Amino acid sequence: MEWIKHFPHAVTVADPDGKVTFMNDKAIQTFADHGGAALIGSSLYDCHKPSSVEKIKHMLATGESNIYTIEKAGVKKIIVQQPLLDNGRVTGIVEISIILPAEVAHFVRS
């Protein structure tokens, strides 16, 4: 699984209590202004607004994912937050943040 360390998109993993357990190189770089690698071991709940904390808790309780796009400083991203499941039991959550080009091709396939 060494590949994920150098994966070109930000990957952050937290345990079922919301404690950050892993950040790949891109995530550390992305969150450098907020502590970077020092965020490992911290709580997701300490760095999110209350509505986001409720969403995280909901995902951890139900196993539902949360997928959305954002734009910040002219950079568009898709954010995929997916609970990690082991035999149906939520064991944590992973967030993958992918920078999107200005135009994204969309194909409908049958």
Side-chain angles (χ1 to χ4, degrees), residues 5-59:
K5 182 173 171 33
H6 307 293
F7 188 62
H9 307 289
V11 178
T12 303
V13 179
D15 69 13
D17 297 318
K19 184 174 80 176
V20 177
T21 59
F22 173 82
M23 297 173 75
N24 73 348
D25 294 344
K26 182 65 174 179
I28 290 168
Q29 175 190 4
T30 298
F31 296 108
D33 291 346
H34 302 285
L39 293 171
I40 297 171
S42 68
S43 174
L44 292 174
Y45 306 137
D46 294 338
C47 57
H48 285 86
K49 60 185 180 180
S51 61
S52 298
V53 168
E54 289 308 311
K55 184 59 135 172
I56 294 165
K57 288 181 178 181
H58 178 79
M59 287 186 294

